[in-house]
Amino acid sequence: MKAKKSKTDQNALAQNRKARFNYDISDTFEAGISLTGTEIKSVRAGQITIGDGFVTFHDGRALLTNVHIAPYENGNQFNVDPLRTRQLLLHRRQIQSLQQTALEKGVSIVPLKVYLKHGFAKVLIGIGRGKRQFDKRQDLKKRDQERELQRRFKN
């Protein structure tokens, strides 16, 4: 029997599958993204890549860095740089707590998925601690064992 997908999984415009493999995600936050008009049109069309993205902090603001949003094809002069740094919309206390955890060694804040909620683009960001090669191999072995069990129960 397949696991039920949550509503945000069904509406996900972009997912960072490598993040859960490379990082041990401890906590997640939902944040809005400050986008221009042509950017939101591209996001709604699914023209966004978050695989290399990460969150930085500057002047008390959370910034989404290295996320590629393709230029809107009918945007003309209103298109902006596809790799520009975009501001994340979070509460001040959330930004401060995220900034404190990001100062720890080996901790990164990465985007996990982008989806639409009530017409607004939202990004699910996670606090990740980098996994070692040994942990990654264990995860692969565990996933293979679960697949094998599913195959046996299916037959």
Side-chain angles (χ1 to χ4, degrees):
M1 187 159 83
K2 283 190 175 180
K4 210 174 193 184
K5 286 189 175 183
S6 69
K7 193 163 188 164
T8 56
D9 282 347
Q10 294 170 352
N11 296 339
L13 300 170
Q15 287 188 344
N16 189 355
R17 293 187 180 110
K18 279 287 203 184
R20 295 213 186 259
F21 182 72
N22 291 331
Y23 299 100
D24 183 26
I25 305 296
S26 61
D27 200 10
T28 60
F29 292 90
E30 180 183 72
I33 315 171
S34 179
L35 299 172
T36 64
T38 55
E39 285 179 324
I40 189 64
K41 288 181 180 185
S42 289
V43 168
R44 284 187 178 135
Q47 301 293 317
I48 182 169
T49 306
I50 61 172
D52 297 330
F54 58 94
V55 177
T56 57
F57 299 95
H58 186 356
D59 292 335
R61 298 183 308 161
L63 304 172
L64 189 61
T65 308
N66 211 17
V67 170
H68 185 273
I69 297 178
Y72 184 59
E73 59 187 46
N74 297 328
N76 296 333
Q77 72 218 29
F78 300 107
N79 281 329
V80 292
D81 180 28
L83 283 174
R84 78 180 181 93
T85 303
R86 295 162 182 91
Q87 184 176 353
L88 289 178
L89 307 174
L90 290 162
H91 294 284
R92 186 179 335 126
R93 286 197 178 123
Q94 287 177 324
I95 293 172
Q96 289 170 350
S97 69
L98 284 171
Q99 196 168 9
Q100 288 299 317
T101 56
L103 292 175
E104 296 175 24
K105 187 174 182 186
V107 173
S108 298
I109 301 172
V110 292
L112 301 175
K113 68 178 79 168
V114 175
Y115 54 93
L116 292 176
K117 185 174 181 182
H118 304 297
F120 295 102
K122 302 287 185 178
V123 61
L124 186 70
I125 56 174
I127 300 171
R129 188 170 297 278
K131 287 185 184 177
R132 295 198 170 110
Q133 191 68 31
F134 172 76
D135 296 331
K136 292 178 187 179
R137 279 194 290 258
Q138 273 188 335
D139 286 348
L140 288 173
K141 187 184 285 186
K142 185 194 241 180
R143 193 181 316 149
D144 288 340
Q145 289 172 349
E146 288 175 4
R147 270 194 206 128
E148 187 61 34
L149 280 174
Q150 290 295 330
R151 282 188 199 126
R152 286 184 183 175
F153 284 130
K154 188 177 180 181
N155 295 337

